[in-house]
Amino acid sequence: MSHYRTNLRDIEFNLFEVFGADDYLGSGPFAAVDGDQARMILSEMERFTRESSWAESFVESDRTPLELSPEGDITIPEGLDRALKDFYEAGWHLMPLPEHLGGYGAPPTIRWAGTELLAGGNATASLWPIGALMGNIVDKIGTEGQKTRFGLPMIERHWGGTMVLTEPDAGSDVGAGTTRATFVEEAGDDDLGAVYHLEGIKRFITSADAQTHENTIHLVLARPEGAGPGTKGLSLFIVPKRHVAADGTVGGRNGVRVSNLEKKMGIKGSATCELSLGQDGEPCVGYLAGNVHEGIAQMFLVIEYARMMVGTKAMATLSTGYLNALDYAKIRVQGADLTQAADKTAPKTEIINHPDVRRMLMEQKAHAEGMRALVMYAGWTQDQAVLAEDDQEEHERWIAREDLLLPLVKGYCSEKAYELLGTSLQVFGGSGYTQDYPIEQYIRDAKIDTLYEGTTAIQALDLLFRKIVRDQGATLTWVADQIRELVKAGSEQDTFATERARLGLALDDAQAHLGSMLTHAMASMDETKRTEVYKAGLHSTDFLHSLAEVVIAWLLLRHAEIAQDRLDADAPNDPLREEDREFYTGKVASARWFVRSALPKVGMRAAKAADEDGSLMDLPAGAF
Ligand code: ST9
């Protein structure tokens, strides 16, 4: 039986009952995919990720080591290789691509729903076929020659692709990178871009090689000679593993090779590589991407997509962790009901009947659905940005909203999923600690999500300084206004009056928390008070959690209102199906639980931020 437990019902609820996607799918920029086609795509994808080689290779991906040859070629396990071939054969790599690249032309919401399924079915496998996505990037930023020579084959011939930023001494601080790019010649008639030779060592490079791929195209940040310091001095280069001739023939090796494979805690079937460029006497040829020196901005097109992928992967993992725990709790018989605990002859009961197990299950359910709501809402803002493409100002407003949500998706989902997967395991008792169940692997595979693509601290600073301070709070104010609208809706007596009131208080608390940090950040503008900024930094990750929880509570309450309407309309002459009745009842319960369980922490964090005296930063290192 597959390890993967999907929740397509909740995905479709978000898409069609909350966002009303049927109204805008099948027309305008999304003419290629209507609502019925979207349902069909997702249901096929669900089957693929749950029942085929994709989920079957989940364990093998973890327990059969990758092999690195002296030439720097990587061999991945047979089952994983099979899964990737099946993935390409089914054409799933085309799903997120635009039509002009042979893709489905699916809107972002559908792409992220698909990403959830792929990552939930086999997180490791989902990190491999990113070449097609990178081909899309080459299509966006490349010269015509680069698009034809590298971008298209990445899609059509299933080549691998990588994002190459990190170096041994340049992780979070990408601008500290020292990989050098020496100018060789201007672009020729083939329009492949100016040619450089690259020299340096890169680290933690995902999916840098596999026998599955005929070729791999690396997108590398390096510093051209004479360029300035920091991220702004970096340029982006297209570096093929093997040279490609004008007729598309793949030829000899370029001077880039995998020189080490990391041994990791999780996602073991995903190659995390050290990449040596120009280190073995063979020059490493790189083509300047798009013939412009805008490396960090170009790379952020990839990073933004990847951050959304990582948050989605984390949510997907918690969702399947929870559903596995739920299945177990329904069949595992242990102990008597708490009301009969003193009676040694009382019948034993399934553990789902124990209060503490219910608490653990509901905590996971509410958060898994809440995170899905957040991911799907971020995807929906991307849909709106596409729909507004003819109105520049409106388009940019939607982009700003999507940008604001991104650190919440990446930062909150990764942290909370990892934390709550521990709760999934706890439901299994000691059995969860064994490899008889998938949870221990889920936990190991999920930890990376708080680390790569920018740690949680980076997401928190991005949220505070780039996404809030930089636009003077305009986008955040828009989100707060949306939330306030729901808080004020309805009457004081209606079903969700208490929840709405609590959401209003939490929003006030989150705003107060932000206010405390901004006061310190503003004070630090004075040269004599630079260290005031520490007091903001001490509370930025807490604020990310609080804002995410307020947004999620708002989304879940919207879900609950829709679900309650469906339940209220349930009548003998037009009855709900039993599974729908249970689903909607569960949605209402999730929202109520989240409001009661998560929102009180928002006030506590605000109080901590208001109380900040900065003394932690004065503590000598030796006192820790
Ligand atoms: C890694 C690999 O971890 C893990 C693999 C995961 C799976 C792979 C999946 C890949 C799929 C990809 C598919 C892509 C397909 C896409 C198709 C769709 C079309 N937003 O603040 P400044 C830019 S890899 C946007 O001064 P510092 C911006 O240009 C390793 N742009 O920063 C800005 O200029 P300006 C991942 C942003 O102090 C410029 O940077 N590593 C954003 O110089 C400078 O900004 C990391 O993630 C943003 N949020 O540098 C690094 N932020 O201001 C983490 C910056 O003029 N570290 N820019 O607009 C950071 O993010 C640091 O904050 C830093 C700081 C490096 C940006």
Side-chain angles (χ1 to χ4, degrees):
M1 187 184 178
S2 173
H3 76 94
Y4 188 26
R5 307 282 188 277
T6 55
N7 196 345
L8 190 56
R9 180 66 180 90
D10 195 41
I11 292 175
E12 292 193 345
F13 175 78
N14 275 272
L15 281 170
F16 300 109
E17 296 181 66
V18 179
F19 301 138
D22 280 310
D23 295 341
Y24 65 87
L25 294 183
S27 63
F30 305 132
V33 178
D34 66 20
D36 288 340
Q37 285 164 319
R39 286 178 180 85
M40 199 184 67
I41 291 170
L42 291 175
S43 125
E44 271 303 300
M45 197 159 210
E46 192 239 13
R47 203 184 49 74
F48 173 77
T49 55
R50 191 165 45 86
E51 289 173 15
S52 74
S53 51
W54 196 259
E56 277 162 25
S57 56
F58 167 76
V59 169
E60 186 193 0
S61 307
D62 184 58
R63 275 149 248 180
T64 308
L66 308 178
E67 284 168 25
L68 174 65
S69 76
E71 294 73 40
D73 297 322
I74 294 174
T75 306
I76 64 173
E78 221 179 288
L80 180 57
D81 185 53
R82 176 77 264 142
L84 295 179
K85 286 182 175 137
D86 290 346
F87 171 91
Y88 288 121
E89 232 162 71
W92 290 124
H93 61 299
L94 301 174
M95 208 267 252
L97 298 181
E99 283 175 280
H100 77 274
L101 293 176
Y104 290 21
T109 36
I110 307 296
R111 296 200 313 246
W112 295 118
T115 302
E116 172 183 340
L117 295 168
L118 289 168
N122 190 335
T124 295
S126 73
L127 293 167
W128 275 106
I130 52 180
L133 292 167
M134 299 288 188
N136 191 9
I137 283 286
V138 173
D139 186 69
K140 274 191 192 307
I141 64 172
T143 63
E144 288 309 313
Q146 290 167 348
K147 292 179 196 183
T148 321
R149 190 80 63 99
F150 306 115
L152 273 180
M154 291 173 89
I155 297 165
E156 292 171 354
R157 290 160 68 179
H158 313 158
W159 289 358
T162 64
M163 54 193 298
V164 185
L165 299 76
T166 307
E167 297 183 10
D169 293 316
S172 294
D173 186 6
V174 178
T178 57
T179 295
R180 262 188 316 151
T182 308
F183 176 75
V184 176
E185 60 185 10
E186 291 295 355
D189 293 342
D190 51 9
D191 194 22
L192 285 188
V195 178
Y196 285 73
H197 283 172
L198 272 52
E199 272 177 90
I201 305 283
K202 294 285 185 176
R203 203 173 174 211
F204 296 156
I205 308 308
T206 300
S207 309
D209 193 76
Q211 81 273 22
T212 322
H213 301 134
E214 177 193 23
N215 202 359
T216 297
I217 306 298
H218 307 287
L219 300 186
V220 182
L221 282 184
R223 197 176 307 279
E225 284 177 325
T231 52
K232 290 287 170 70
L234 298 170
S235 297
L236 187 67
F237 297 91
I238 297 174
V239 177
K241 170 185 170 181
R242 292 184 179 281
H243 294 293
V244 185
D247 65 357
T249 312
V250 172
R253 292 287 296 246
N254 191 10
V256 53
R257 114 189 135 77
V258 177
S259 39
N260 190 29
L261 260 180
E262 304 292 346
K263 294 189 175 49
K264 312 190 296 289
M265 167 181 174
I267 55 163
K268 295 186 180 199
S270 161
T272 303
C273 308
E274 180 186 82
L275 209 55
S276 293
L277 304 118
Q279 300 295 301
D280 302 313
E282 189 71 32
C284 171
V285 175
Y287 303 96
L288 181 65
N291 265 333
V292 287
H293 291 280
E294 292 172 0
I296 193 69
Q298 291 168 318
M299 187 59 93
F300 256 96
L301 295 176
V302 181
I303 295 175
E304 288 190 307
Y305 196 98
R307 287 181 178 175
M308 184 80 181
M309 263 178 90
V310 171
T312 306
K313 166 183 174 288
M315 171 270 284
T317 312
L318 176 62
S319 181
T320 182
Y322 157 60
L323 293 172
N324 270 279
L326 176 62
D327 281 355
Y328 186 78
K330 283 179 179 169
I331 56 159
R332 171 72 173 165
V333 173
Q334 198 72 185
D337 188 277
L338 194 57
T339 56
Q340 298 172 286
D343 177 1
K344 302 303 171 205
T345 64
K348 309 299 182 195
T349 186
E350 290 81 15
I351 62 172
I352 193 168
N353 296 317
H354 297 318
D356 195 55
V357 173
R358 287 199 165 218
R359 173 192 64 77
M360 290 192 283
L361 291 173
M362 186 47 83
E363 186 76 352
Q364 295 166 69
K365 172 177 158 62
H367 279 84
E369 288 173 15
M371 289 181 205
R372 179 176 297 107
L374 179 64
V375 166
M376 295 299 282
Y377 179 63
W380 178 80
T381 62
Q382 296 173 3
D383 285 1
Q384 301 311 303
V386 177
L387 289 167
E389 245 159 19
D390 293 338
D391 178 344
Q392 190 60 21
E393 277 183 23
E394 184 63 0
H395 174 72
E396 278 167 17
R397 274 194 288 272
W398 283 112
I399 297 283
R401 290 161 192 167
E402 165 196 341
D403 285 349
L404 178 78
L405 294 168
L406 197 50
L408 305 184
V409 168
K410 162 66 169 83
Y412 185 77
C413 293
S414 62
E415 288 286 344
K416 208 67 199 178
Y418 180 66
E419 177 191 325
L420 287 175
L421 280 162
T423 307
S424 309
L425 188 148
Q426 191 73 16
V427 171
F428 284 82
S431 298
Y433 200 62
T434 70
Q435 295 195 332
D436 294 347
Y437 295 95
I439 313 293
E440 66 83 30
Q441 187 182 332
Y442 288 161
I443 291 176
R444 289 186 289 104
D445 285 353
K447 182 56 211 167
I448 187 65
D449 298 331
T450 67
L451 303 166
Y452 62 6
E453 290 307 344
T455 59
T456 311
I458 292 287
Q459 305 306 319
L461 294 177
D462 183 62
L463 173 67
L464 177 60
F465 292 111
R466 193 173 181 92
K467 306 294 171 59
I468 295 178
V469 172
R470 199 162 156 159
D471 86 343
Q472 298 177 326
T475 309
L476 181 63
T477 302
W478 179 83
V479 174
D481 287 348
Q482 305 292 302
I483 297 173
R484 199 72 73 191
E485 242 174 65
L486 182 93
V487 169
K488 289 189 186 140
S491 75
E492 278 177 26
Q493 284 78 39
D494 73 22
T495 324
F496 298 112
T498 308
E499 284 75 14
R500 282 201 311 273
R502 289 185 186 191
L503 176 62
L505 287 177
L507 180 60
D508 292 343
D509 286 336
Q511 284 178 327
H513 185 155
L514 177 63
S516 301
M517 291 194 304
L518 291 179
T519 305
H520 298 309
M522 294 298 284
S524 75
M525 307 296 271
D526 179 337
E527 251 179 50
T528 62
K529 295 183 179 165
R530 285 284 187 248
T531 56
E532 279 292 297
V533 77
Y534 289 152
K535 296 181 187 169
L538 283 166
H539 295 275
S540 52
T541 295
D542 267 2
F543 176 68
L544 180 146
H545 280 258
S546 285
L547 185 59
E549 283 166 352
V550 168
V551 172
I552 287 174
W554 167 59
L555 293 169
L556 287 183
L557 272 178
R558 285 173 56 187
H559 290 197
E561 287 186 341
I562 293 167
Q564 190 62 51
D565 283 350
R566 303 277 193 271
L567 289 168
D568 291 346
D570 188 12
N573 58 345
D574 186 17
L576 280 174
R577 292 178 311 159
E578 184 53 25
E579 60 262 40
D580 283 333
R581 196 172 298 122
E582 287 177 351
F583 175 78
Y584 294 129
T585 305
K587 292 300 295 183
V588 172
S590 291
R592 289 198 198 282
W593 179 272
F594 194 90
V595 165
R596 282 171 169 72
S597 147
L599 290 190
K601 293 180 216 152
V602 176
M604 191 196 70
R605 294 188 198 107
K608 267 168 55 191
D611 222 17
E612 184 54 62
D613 63 1
S615 55
L616 186 60
M617 298 306 292
D618 297 331
L619 202 62
F624 277 85

